[in-house]
Amino acid sequence: MPQTEKKFFENLTGAGKAIAVLTSGGDAQGMNAAVRAVVRMGIYVGAKVYFIHEGYQGMVDGGDNIEEAKWESVSSMLQVGGTVIGSARCKEFRSHEGRLKAAHNLVRKGITNLCVIGGDGSLTGANLFREEWSGLLAELLEQGLIDEEATQIYSALHIVGMVGSIDNDFCGTDMTIGTDSALHRIIEVVDAIMTTAQSHQRTFVLEVMGRHCGYLALVSALACGADWVLIPEMPPEDGWEEKMCQKLCATRSRGSRLNIIIVAEGAMDRHGNAITSSIVQDLVVSRLGFDTRVTILGHVQRGGTPSAFDRILASRMGVEAVLALLETNANTAACVVSLSGNQSVRLPLMECVQMTQEVQKAMDEKRFEDAVELRGRSFENNLKTYKLLAHRKPESELPHSNFNVAVLNVGAPAAGMNAAVRSAIRVGISEGHKMFAVNDGFEGFYKGQIREIKWADVGGWTGQGGSLLGTKRTLPAKHVGEIAEQIRKYNINALLVIGGFEAIECLLQLYEARSDYEEFCIPLCMLPATISNNVPGTDLSIGADTALNAIVETCDRIKQSASGTKRRVFIIETMGGYCGYLASVGGLAAGADAAYIYEEPFDIRDLQANVMHLTAKMKSSIQRGLILRNESCNENYTTDFIYQLYSEEGRGVFDCRKNVLGHMQQGGSPSPFDRNFGTKIAAKAMQWITKKLTETYRQGVGRVFANTEDSACLLGMRRRAMVFQPVVQLKDETDFVHRIPKEQWWLKLRPLMKILAKYKTSYDVSDSGQLEHVVLNRPQAFEAAAAI
């Protein structure tokens, strides 16, 4: 048995342990996914798991509020918003007497492990409870409510927290549970409003949640290309009213028929005076006379179905929380499970709480730059990118680089491509470059479909799906001479390629053509954009999140269609070529029972075992099953074959339906994550291109000459950071026959999906989060978290 499995099964057994899970404070989409993961992972390792209904109030009241959870107790809750076990503010728990009652109720059930899902207030309360625990037990013993043996057995209380908050206002994590779903609600409203605003040439002022934190306002402004944003952490300078009105007029003068202003509910000026949506509306009407409307989103942002991102995040965090509880001892500090880039980490709970409180202190003292820095690198990068893109400098203030940069899309269309192009164009112009757009990829390149593109030409592109530049799969190898000629003709000094697996093949071909054509000795940069997420050198690609949401939404609807039908199994085929990312991660987000992929070979015995497993579940209280199959997982075990096998073997127990999702996974409006990811990664790429152009410009001959490996790079997200990697060095990491990386991080999530579907399987904890400390790291140049 591998060492990692041995560690899990022998050292991390939960036998004899009792774990309780509660949700406290405000509700957030994804909380149910976290509860489900805690319950099922706890039961999987042999622990008893309890629900505590109504948060701390339920813990104080005891009785039926503390209920043992069964495997089936959390069925069908993955797609439900809010929290099904209830949440409540509890004044009584803030008192010593209330915590004494809570301690008694927990000891009566034998519970000494608490998983708390809430905000900083809820987690601070949990830590205080933990610190007082031994004193509370002593009081209960003195009052005769427990005996000496109980004080010995239940001597220590262990706490692990998960942050559930749509505001993303907790320091130490790039993303909190519920934030991505709230952004989905906001962007859905903004997209709808933009159509009516254009029809009537209106200005819309949108007020979003965020009394103390402007994350939602900032990211939604970045994701929709808003004209102006007002957030607590960045109060506008005196005279902002005039500057805002000038910006709105400038936007209209360039042909735009609408303006969007986003206001966080906690927005204020430099003197601490509130800036409300109605104040902004009155200002625009009185000074400009624009037809202006206000929309206050309110609790719409908290409602609805959780996004794919939140389901996956909450599931990963829930499993990580159980692992953390199993590893605790009497001396272990309370920790919070966090996300850094694409990696789970454990941080001391009170360090995070103290830093969160430091943010508010900095804002109270009007140290706004410190507040932004304390918010963390994700917030800081979002703010820098917004400033870079939203406010165009006058021509007289722009640097003049005399460099020409071309942008093109390659491969299949992916949602978020247009956001990346817009960002690249505007950052390039801000850097002083002349920007060129190439239509229809390298096919358009060799045909000369190249044109200069201006700042205003990409207005409104962030919310558009597909590729507005046009994209083809044509590789440049057969046309290098003609492409070199076009580079000479337009004096192209650098190239930004946005696309999928074909894009990395294109860059390799251009790099290899440098020996014959000096025209290709220019900085070459690639951004990964494909729904398949099969590009080497990056954990995530632009477009994959939108495709995952399409899969999850469809699976939810399909399962709902069977709500009146008992015992039905759905076989769903996803796209992805030979890459099983969409099937596996989509399966985790949708609560699938199995996902068949190329990377994990299977045979008829595995299929039969899955059928038997489903049959056993159907004979209990489980009424629906979900199977995902990647389109190229096996040439013989087709979707039709699996459907017929399940139909035959399940006869008399369940019936089957099948669905091929097809190109609906490629279409639609890009998700907030893809808009923001594409925007930030493209801005970073353009800054790298500017740096390389400066480094490789030869004064003597008056031209750019870049011929080193590190002048042809892919910008990708690796674990916690964005990294520029020479494409030549990625060749050894790539399976070119099947168009996938040789190693793929998400394969470690597959056992998680199986565990949550009640399969007995090994789980590798070697990459599990280790307890770290909160360190305020300034992001290095060209390095940042990719989480929005």
Side-chain angles (χ1 to χ4, degrees):
M1 180 181 286
Q3 182 61 35
T4 51
E5 294 178 27
K6 186 176 181 180
K7 178 186 175 188
F8 179 76
F9 286 113
E10 293 184 9
N11 297 343
L12 295 179
T13 176
K17 288 203 173 191
I19 299 171
V21 58
L22 68 119
T23 54
S24 177
D27 64 299
Q29 307 98 318
M31 279 183 164
N32 290 323
V35 170
R36 172 180 177 267
V38 169
V39 169
R40 291 195 167 176
M41 189 65 178
I43 293 171
Y44 177 83
V45 297
K48 264 192 172 185
V49 186
Y50 291 86
F51 293 135
I52 298 180
H53 295 280
E54 311 306 333
Y56 287 118
Q57 189 66 56
M59 195 190 298
V60 171
D61 294 342
D64 292 340
N65 288 304
I66 304 177
E67 172 196 9
E68 186 174 354
K70 302 299 182 186
W71 190 275
E72 293 77 15
S73 303
V74 292
S75 295
S76 302
M77 71 156 54
L78 189 60
Q79 68 270 24
V80 179
T83 165
V84 298
I85 61 174
S87 181
R89 313 278 181 187
C90 181
K91 288 185 179 178
E92 199 173 354
F93 188 76
R94 296 176 188 173
S95 68
H96 183 79
E97 293 74 17
R99 292 192 292 275
L100 190 67
K101 287 182 186 178
H104 187 212
N105 289 327
L106 292 186
V107 170
R108 288 169 69 182
K109 296 284 188 179
I111 298 167
T112 56
N113 296 279
L114 270 185
C115 183
V116 180
I117 309 166
D120 61 331
S122 303
L123 298 178
T124 303
N127 190 64
L128 175 63
F129 190 39
R130 170 186 162 276
E131 289 174 345
E132 290 183 347
W133 183 257
S134 58
L136 295 171
L137 292 191
E139 282 188 55
L140 292 171
L141 177 64
E142 188 180 327
Q143 293 175 17
L145 296 174
I146 61 172
D147 56 26
E148 186 69 42
E149 184 182 4
T151 62
Q152 298 299 318
I153 296 173
Y154 308 120
S155 59
L157 179 68
H158 306 296
I159 302 283
V160 171
M162 287 183 275
V163 189
S165 165
I166 69 166
D167 292 328
N168 202 29
D169 57 353
F170 192 81
C171 293
T173 185
D174 285 343
M175 205 68 162
T176 57
I177 296 168
T179 304
D180 187 67
S181 300
L183 286 169
H184 272 257
R185 300 295 92 78
I186 294 168
I187 294 303
E188 285 165 11
V189 172
V190 173
D191 285 352
I193 279 174
M194 287 178 87
T195 57
T196 183
Q198 283 179 327
S199 301
H200 297 277
Q201 297 193 58
R202 281 180 176 153
T203 295
F204 266 88
V205 182
L206 273 80
E207 183 180 302
V208 301
M209 283 185 166
R211 275 179 298 170
H212 305 294
C213 178
Y215 188 89
L216 289 178
L218 176 59
V219 174
S220 54
L222 199 56
C224 73
D227 295 283
W228 202 267
V229 66
L230 293 157
I231 60 173
E233 295 88 347
M234 188 181 67
E237 300 285 352
D238 291 347
W240 65 272
E241 298 93 339
E242 185 61 34
K243 289 180 181 177
M244 185 185 75
C245 290
Q246 287 174 358
K247 173 73 190 307
L248 299 182
C249 284
T251 303
R252 290 287 180 98
S253 68
R254 289 195 292 268
S256 175
R257 292 175 59 85
L258 78 157
N259 300 114
I260 298 289
I261 302 166
I262 296 183
V263 183
E265 60 182 339
M268 59 184 177
D269 65 19
R270 293 265 161 180
H271 308 289
N273 301 312
I275 302 175
T276 65
S277 52
S278 59
I279 287 174
V280 175
Q281 180 191 28
D282 293 343
L283 179 67
V284 175
V285 171
S286 64
R287 295 205 182 187
L288 300 176
F290 290 176
D291 186 3
T292 306
R293 299 287 191 273
V294 170
T295 299
I296 299 173
L297 270 63
H299 282 74
V300 165
Q301 295 156 89
R302 284 194 190 279
T305 300
S307 66
F309 184 99
D310 272 330
R311 299 185 198 195
I312 297 159
L313 175 66
S315 297
R316 290 175 69 183
M317 284 187 167
V319 168
E320 188 68 39
V322 172
L323 295 178
L325 284 171
L326 297 182
E327 291 175 352
T328 55
N329 55 48
N331 300 317
T332 305
C335 76
V336 61
V337 179
S338 300
L339 183 74
S340 178
N342 193 34
Q343 190 177 10
S344 294
V345 294
R346 301 176 195 169
L347 299 171
L349 190 154
M350 289 315 295
E351 285 186 19
C352 296
V353 169
Q354 285 161 9
M355 187 172 283
T356 304
Q357 291 169 348
E358 279 294 317
V359 175
Q360 192 57 50
K361 183 181 177 185
M363 290 176 64
D364 291 341
E365 295 173 357
K366 296 183 171 53
R367 294 183 288 111
F368 299 112
E369 289 185 5
D370 290 343
V372 168
E373 184 181 337
L374 287 164
R375 282 275 182 230
R377 61 183 184 173
S378 178
F379 189 97
E380 196 170 9
N381 287 327
N382 280 313
L383 186 54
K384 284 179 180 177
T385 308
Y386 178 78
K387 287 179 177 178
L388 203 60
L389 293 170
H391 304 295
R392 184 185 183 185
K393 293 178 182 177
E395 293 287 340
S396 58
E397 294 181 22
L398 288 174
H400 293 285
S401 68
N402 295 319
F403 292 125
N404 296 341
V405 181
V407 181
L408 70 158
N409 294 334
V410 173
M417 274 183 166
N418 296 321
V421 171
R422 169 187 175 269
S423 176
I425 299 299
R426 291 196 168 179
V427 172
I429 291 170
S430 297
E431 301 273 330
H433 310 318
K434 186 179 284 188
M435 301 301 296
F436 288 84
V438 182
N439 295 110
D440 296 336
F442 280 100
E443 185 174 314
F445 207 136
Y446 80 79
K447 291 178 178 178
Q449 296 174 10
I450 304 167
R451 60 188 169 90
E452 186 180 353
I453 189 164
K454 303 284 190 177
W455 184 282
D457 295 337
V458 291
W461 279 33
T462 49
Q464 300 291 317
S467 167
L468 293 174
L469 288 184
T471 181
K472 294 283 181 72
R473 295 181 184 272
T474 307
L475 301 180
K478 293 179 181 178
H479 308 281
V480 287
E482 294 154 287
I483 293 169
E485 185 181 333
Q486 295 296 338
I487 289 177
R488 279 196 307 274
K489 179 180 176 181
Y490 289 93
N491 190 28
I492 302 297
N493 306 117
L495 200 58
L496 179 63
V497 181
I498 303 168
F501 197 88
E502 291 89 354
I504 200 164
E505 292 179 302
C506 290
L507 247 66
L508 284 168
Q509 289 177 6
L510 294 181
Y511 177 82
E512 289 163 4
R514 282 176 169 178
S515 57
D516 297 318
Y517 297 92
E518 283 195 358
E519 288 81 2
F520 300 121
C521 294
I522 57 176
L524 305 170
C525 187
M526 173 199 162
L527 302 182
T530 167
I531 69 166
S532 302
N533 200 32
N534 63 331
V535 177
T538 187
D539 290 353
L540 296 173
S541 299
I542 299 165
D545 183 73
T546 304
L548 278 178
N549 278 286
I551 291 167
V552 168
E553 287 166 16
T554 306
C555 289
D556 287 351
R557 292 180 184 184
I558 287 171
K559 288 195 292 185
Q560 189 182 50
S561 73
S563 58
T565 308
K566 291 187 176 181
R567 298 176 182 170
R568 177 164 286 174
V569 174
F570 296 93
I571 316 293
I572 311 292
E573 182 185 300
T574 67
M575 294 175 82
Y578 285 97
C579 181
Y581 175 82
L582 290 178
S584 295
V585 182
L588 176 61
D593 294 277
Y596 300 120
I597 62 171
Y598 166 79
E599 293 91 341
E600 195 173 283
F602 59 97
D603 57 24
I604 194 68
R605 291 181 293 272
D606 297 310
L607 292 169
Q608 288 178 318
N610 292 151
V611 173
M612 291 174 64
H613 181 80
L614 265 176
T615 301
K617 286 174 74 173
M618 291 290 178
K619 288 180 178 177
S620 65
S621 60
I622 305 295
Q623 298 297 322
R624 286 167 288 180
L626 182 66
I627 307 294
L628 268 61
R629 176 190 176 275
N630 170 244
E631 60 183 352
S632 300
C633 64
N634 189 292
E635 62 180 340
N636 295 314
Y637 299 133
T638 63
T639 301
D640 283 336
F641 178 92
I642 293 173
Y643 163 70
Q644 289 167 4
L645 175 71
Y646 273 73
S647 296
E648 182 61 33
E649 296 297 316
R651 193 184 298 276
V653 180
F654 59 80
D655 65 355
C656 280
R657 296 289 185 272
K658 66 176 177 178
N659 195 301
V660 178
L661 299 184
H663 281 75
M664 65 166 290
Q665 297 158 85
Q666 268 185 336
S669 177
S671 68
F673 184 97
D674 280 329
R675 297 183 194 201
N676 195 25
F677 185 39
T679 298
K680 289 201 293 188
I681 200 172
K684 212 159 285 293
M686 283 306 304
Q687 290 171 331
W688 177 87
I689 284 173
T690 299
K691 179 170 174 279
K692 285 294 176 187
L693 285 169
T694 305
E695 290 174 353
T696 58
Y697 182 71
R698 294 185 173 183
Q699 290 284 355
V701 292
R703 57 161 294 190
V704 171
F705 187 85
N707 200 25
T708 55
E709 285 187 0
D710 67 352
S711 63
C713 281
L714 174 145
L715 173 55
M717 180 185 155
R718 283 260 169 116
R719 293 170 71 86
R720 300 194 191 189
M722 300 301 303
V723 184
F724 287 92
Q725 301 149 95
V727 289
V728 174
Q729 295 177 15
L730 294 174
K731 286 174 73 173
D732 292 338
E733 300 179 22
T734 308
D735 175 354
F736 283 95
V737 174
H738 298 99
R739 299 160 60 85
I740 55 174
K742 290 179 181 176
E743 290 188 13
Q744 302 187 86
W745 69 273
W746 53 265
L747 287 169
K748 291 185 177 181
L749 298 181
R750 283 185 61 78
L752 205 161
M753 181 189 71
K754 293 176 184 177
I755 288 168
L756 298 179
K758 211 173 183 178
Y759 284 91
K760 280 294 177 186
T761 184
S762 59
Y763 185 65
D764 181 357
V765 297
S766 60
D767 198 34
S768 185
Q770 302 302 311
L771 190 64
E772 302 177 9
H773 290 281
V774 181
V775 179
L776 188 61
N777 286 325
R778 300 288 298 179
Q780 299 295 315
F782 312 119
E783 204 174 88
I788 54 174

